[in-house]
Amino acid sequence: MKKFEDKFFNILINRYGFYIKDYFSSSKNENRWVAISENENYAYAVIVCDEMEATLLYSEAYESLKKVFTKPIALNVVITTKSNEVAQEYLGQYNKLIYSLSEERVLYSGDGCKPLLQVYEYMSKKEQKHRNRFKDNKLTYILIGINVLIYILTAIMSRDVFNSNTYVLIRLGAKVNELINRGQVWRLLTCAFLHGGIMHLVFNMYALKIIGSEVEYVFGRKKYLIIYLMAALGGSLFSYILSPYSISVGASGAIFGLLGAMLVFGVKHRDKIGKSYMMNIIQVIIINVIIGVSLSNIDNYAHLGGLIIGGITALIVKSNLEKSFN
């Protein structure tokens, strides 16, 4: 109930201009909250409570408000219940709204609470949008989760949360040319899920969340995964060939591949997407290249390989929006 109350009151405050006032509940022996919107003629107030305490808290809140306002007070009660049935005692009551926590819907609303239905509808749409966002970006969150879990394992083995031990990284699958030459070719892929430190992980996962969500929407999950893995392999192969003595880890090659995919998509449909979208992608790539050149221990060959292979893969698999853009 408390979680629902917080969300409900936040919407009343931020969207509908209510303000919050506290009152002391002697029955609960604590301060409770009432949301208020007033004009010259009357004060419209709202409290949220569960079905067992509605009558008592209504009386306490009303008595408290009477001490503050000389104008008429319309106190409305949003009653939360875990049941999907409306208590008979509330049916027909002008100032009651019954909300089922289990079914996440309004079971009953008196005429005085009709304005509050807008709050419920807005909250419902916001919750649905949040659920859809996770559903739409499911693979991106899964990839982030895998990287984070592997980093946790790395931190435990390294006995250091902030920096990964080099020998642990090698043991878990870092790109080491000598070991790949001995037949451990799987390192070309596993190295893309390892990170050298907490900041390395945070920056890469933030970038993956931003660009990965775009690629997942444009190409769909299956093609997105193909682009991601091919870019990761491409980045590792470029590093293997052009930087043979480096020990390389990180998802940045795969992330550059996602940038390459969006660059290809933008170039193909530049007349419909617009120049600003294209410039944003190019600027992000340039900024990351500058950062890579400026800082030490950055595998720029992996970035280059990921960018090229990601772009080529995107050309082959084509985006899910291809038909709608033609």
Side-chain angles (χ1 to χ4, degrees):
M1 193 275 289
K2 185 67 173 67
K3 186 177 180 181
F4 173 84
E5 181 184 36
D6 289 343
K7 289 180 180 179
F8 203 83
F9 278 2
N10 278 334
I11 295 171
L12 285 175
I13 296 166
N14 297 321
R15 188 172 176 82
Y16 295 101
F18 280 67
Y19 65 90
I20 297 295
K21 183 174 177 57
D22 66 329
Y23 69 95
F24 182 75
S25 167
S26 55
S27 62
K28 303 289 290 184
N29 195 31
E30 64 181 14
N31 283 338
R32 302 282 298 198
W33 299 103
V34 55
I36 303 168
S37 175
E38 58 175 308
N39 57 31
E40 294 179 358
N41 300 317
Y42 71 99
Y44 186 90
V46 182
I47 62 170
V48 177
C49 58
D50 65 41
E51 55 188 327
M52 302 301 294
E53 56 189 16
T55 302
L56 194 54
L57 288 181
Y58 173 85
S59 299
E60 291 178 337
Y62 190 76
E63 289 301 318
S64 177
L65 292 172
K66 280 171 60 177
K67 297 175 182 177
V68 177
F69 297 107
T70 55
K71 65 181 79 173
I73 302 164
L75 177 59
N76 298 273
V77 187
V78 176
I79 301 170
T80 61
T81 176
K82 294 181 179 179
S83 171
N84 59 358
E85 297 180 359
V86 183
Q88 293 298 312
E89 62 184 291
Y90 298 126
L91 288 176
Q93 291 196 21
Y94 180 84
N95 64 339
K96 300 293 192 298
L97 183 147
I98 316 296
Y99 180 82
S100 171
L101 294 172
S102 59
E103 294 193 358
E104 296 185 343
R105 66 183 181 93
V106 173
L107 302 176
Y108 167 79
S109 176
D111 289 341
C113 292
K114 294 300 182 187
L116 300 178
L117 289 175
Q118 297 178 30
V119 181
Y120 157 71
E121 288 170 3
Y122 178 79
M123 185 169 69
S124 180
K125 288 178 182 177
K126 196 173 181 181
E127 290 289 329
Q128 188 61 44
K129 186 177 180 181
H130 177 77
R131 283 191 283 265
N132 288 342
R133 187 183 297 123
F134 176 79
K135 186 178 178 180
D136 293 341
N137 300 334
K138 188 174 181 180
L139 181 55
T140 298
Y141 287 117
I142 289 172
L143 288 171
I144 291 172
I146 292 171
N147 278 279
V148 170
L149 286 173
I150 291 175
Y151 185 79
I152 291 171
L153 174 63
T154 307
I156 292 171
M157 293 177 66
S158 300
R159 297 182 181 180
D160 190 339
V161 174
F162 300 101
N163 296 291
S164 302
N165 183 283
T166 302
Y167 295 104
V168 170
L169 291 173
I170 293 172
R171 183 179 175 185
L172 290 177
K175 189 228 81 178
V176 182
N177 278 29
E178 184 180 344
L179 296 177
I180 293 171
N181 293 337
R182 293 179 188 176
Q184 297 180 18
V185 292
W186 43 268
R187 290 179 177 273
L188 293 171
L189 184 60
T190 55
C191 67
F193 293 90
L194 296 167
H195 289 85
I198 189 69
M199 295 310 298
H200 187 201
L201 175 75
V202 168
F203 283 127
N204 273 350
M205 292 307 99
Y206 177 75
L208 178 56
K209 171 62 180 69
I210 301 301
I211 190 65
S213 300
E214 288 285 323
V215 176
E216 188 164 2
Y217 170 72
V218 170
F219 287 89
R221 286 190 196 131
K222 290 181 181 178
K223 294 175 183 178
Y224 169 34
L225 183 59
I226 292 170
I227 293 168
Y228 187 90
L229 295 177
M230 289 301 295
L233 284 170
S236 296
L237 283 169
F238 268 60
S239 178
Y240 172 81
I241 296 167
L242 300 173
S243 183
Y245 303 110
S246 68
I247 297 174
S248 183
V249 295
S252 51
I255 293 166
F256 263 80
L258 301 181
L259 283 168
M262 291 308 296
L263 181 62
V264 165
F265 176 76
V267 170
K268 287 178 71 176
H269 304 290
R270 59 188 178 277
D271 55 328
K272 297 181 178 67
I273 292 175
K275 292 182 180 179
S276 60
Y277 182 86
M278 281 292 302
M279 289 306 299
N280 286 337
I281 296 174
I282 293 171
Q283 284 173 8
V284 170
I285 293 172
I286 292 172
I287 289 169
N288 279 276
V289 168
I290 292 172
I291 292 172
V293 173
S294 303
L295 300 177
S296 59
N297 299 322
I298 301 294
D299 195 340
N300 292 298
Y301 292 116
H303 293 177
L304 178 63
L307 183 69
I308 293 171
I309 299 302
I312 292 172
T313 307
L315 277 172
I316 296 170
V317 299
K318 296 183 180 180
S319 77
N320 285 359
L321 301 181
E322 205 75 31
K323 291 181 180 179
S324 62
F325 274 89
N326 292 329

